[in-house]
Amino acid sequence: MHSKLKTLEKAGRPELKDMYTKCKSQAEKRAFFYDIYCLDPNVSERSVTKHDEEDSRTIVDLDDDWYTAEEIAEKKGIKPGCQDYDLKVEASVKGMDERPHEDGNLAALGVKQYHFFKSTTKSQVVKKRKVQMEEKVEDVSQDDFAQMRQAMHSDLTQKMIGNSSSSGRSGLNKAQEGEVEVQVDWLQHYKDSYKKVKGSLTSMNTEVHALEVLKEKLSTSPETGMKQLVKDQLEAKSSALHNEKKKRMSEHLLFAKEYKDEEEAKQKASELNAMNEAMQTFLKSFRKEIAVHKAAISS
């Protein structure tokens, strides 16, 4: 974690390291690791792999056609003007099948063609370079995994499992019709939704800290005609962020960490998902607007 925090700091993202530095006790550091660090998108595992491959191929060239004596002689390295050219041309086609030239005018002049066949084998080395990028996210929720599987097998229709009396068809018939039944564990699904909302709240905490750092940086920048305007805009954004965070935290407190009843868990998970979607929409818009100010202050 320490190495990753230093890397992020060098990349211009010191927020996480600054938050960790402010932790005084082991309990605060432990809470930072599980509640903030592990949920921050900047520490998701990514990798880039370069593959160099070398492929050896054997290529066989076949020359199987009818040519004039002069054309065949040239294929054998006999050039016009060389010593005893006519004798060498005649020797080049000796023993070959012959026919009148395919062009009737030349055939009328007695020009002939000869059947020439030659097989040439060559080895070719092909070098390939491939760059493979991978982003890995572990501990994927059951609901997310079901959606991923459906996207990968779009030709299959996924259905929720209902009561055994809801359908009289056998499982074999369903399989033949291309249907895949997915059992949703609503109790676990609720826990996953609860965790997502908590992650969004953590992202808001991170943005609050990042905004404070940006405001501090602005205060030390040279005085310009635009400085006060930018400061006022950042204060407005800070107020909006704090209000949104306060509102969502109050809403989140109304939900239990887990439920025992399937139907209640299903209903509450739906409410949490809607809440998380609204939070993500807010964060996306907020980050886009702050990025403009960040670029202006850094320039």
Side-chain angles (χ1 to χ4, degrees), residues 238-255:
S238 178
S239 178
L241 178 59
H242 278 88
N243 290 338
E244 180 70 12
K245 175 189 168 186
K246 183 178 179 181
K247 173 187 175 183
R248 298 305 180 183
M249 287 184 69
S250 298
E251 294 175 349
H252 190 235
L253 290 174
L254 299 177
F255 293 87

Side-chain angles (χ1 to χ4, degrees), residues 128-192:
K128 301 177 183 178
R129 176 164 295 178
K130 178 174 67 175
V131 176
Q132 178 179 338
M133 302 181 67
E134 178 182 359
E135 181 171 359
K136 181 170 66 176
V137 179
E138 297 182 352
D139 194 24
V140 179
S141 70
Q142 181 175 347
D143 183 57
D144 287 342
F145 185 79
Q147 293 184 45
M148 293 177 202
R149 181 167 58 181
Q150 183 176 16
M152 293 176 66
H153 302 281
S154 57
D155 57 316
L156 300 179
T157 302
Q158 294 189 343
K159 297 179 64 179
M160 300 298 179
I161 294 181
N163 297 330
S164 58
S165 60
S166 63
S167 174
R169 293 177 299 171
S170 68
L172 178 60
N173 290 333
K174 291 182 181 179
Q176 290 174 341
E177 293 176 7
E179 296 179 353
V180 176
E181 295 183 335
V182 178
Q183 177 72 57
V184 177
D185 183 347
W186 290 109
L187 300 182
Q188 182 60 45
H189 176 60
Y190 174 82
K191 293 180 182 178
D192 295 333

Side-chain angles (χ1 to χ4, degrees), residues 98-151:
E98 63 180 60
R99 71 178 188 185
H101 200 285
E102 58 188 343
D103 184 329
N105 294 324
L106 293 176
L109 296 175
V111 179
K112 295 182 179 181
Q113 288 181 312
Y114 302 85
H115 183 234
F116 179 80
F117 176 84
K118 184 178 181 181
S119 173
T120 304
T121 302
K122 296 186 296 184
S123 294
Q124 183 183 55
V125 176
V126 179
K127 294 185 177 181
K128 301 177 183 178
R129 176 164 295 178
K130 178 174 67 175
V131 176
Q132 178 179 338
M133 302 181 67
E134 178 182 359
E135 181 171 359
K136 181 170 66 176
V137 179
E138 297 182 352
D139 194 24
V140 179
S141 70
Q142 181 175 347
D143 183 57
D144 287 342
F145 185 79
Q147 293 184 45
M148 293 177 202
R149 181 167 58 181
Q150 183 176 16

Side-chain angles (χ1 to χ4, degrees), residues 1-136:
M1 182 187 74
H2 292 283
S3 175
K4 185 64 177 180
L5 292 179
K6 289 181 180 179
T7 300
L8 289 174
E9 183 181 35
K10 291 180 180 179
R13 296 299 304 270
E15 298 87 0
L16 286 176
K17 184 178 180 182
D18 292 343
M19 294 176 70
Y20 177 75
T21 303
K22 293 180 180 179
C23 296
K24 303 301 181 183
S25 65
Q26 284 299 115
E28 290 179 348
K29 292 180 179 180
R30 189 179 299 108
F32 166 83
F33 179 79
Y34 287 107
D35 296 337
I36 296 178
Y37 176 83
C38 288
L39 298 176
D40 194 283
N42 290 301
V43 299
S44 61
E45 184 177 344
R46 302 176 181 88
S47 65
V48 178
T49 306
K50 184 183 75 172
H51 298 278
D52 290 325
E53 300 176 358
E54 190 173 285
D55 185 18
S56 180
R57 303 176 182 175
T58 299
I59 300 175
V60 178
D61 287 334
L62 295 178
D63 191 352
D64 185 3
D65 207 344
W66 293 83
Y67 300 96
T68 63
E70 290 77 11
E71 289 175 329
I72 294 175
E74 186 170 358
K75 289 177 179 294
K76 294 184 175 182
I78 307 301
K79 303 292 185 181
C82 69
Q83 187 176 4
D84 299 324
Y85 175 72
D86 291 337
L87 292 175
K88 292 178 180 178
V89 168
E90 183 177 352
S92 296
V93 298
K94 188 174 182 179
M96 293 184 179
D97 294 336
E98 63 180 60
R99 71 178 188 185
H101 200 285
E102 58 188 343
D103 184 329
N105 294 324
L106 293 176
L109 296 175
V111 179
K112 295 182 179 181
Q113 288 181 312
Y114 302 85
H115 183 234
F116 179 80
F117 176 84
K118 184 178 181 181
S119 173
T120 304
T121 302
K122 296 186 296 184
S123 294
Q124 183 183 55
V125 176
V126 179
K127 294 185 177 181
K128 301 177 183 178
R129 176 164 295 178
K130 178 174 67 175
V131 176
Q132 178 179 338
M133 302 181 67
E134 178 182 359
E135 181 171 359
K136 181 170 66 176

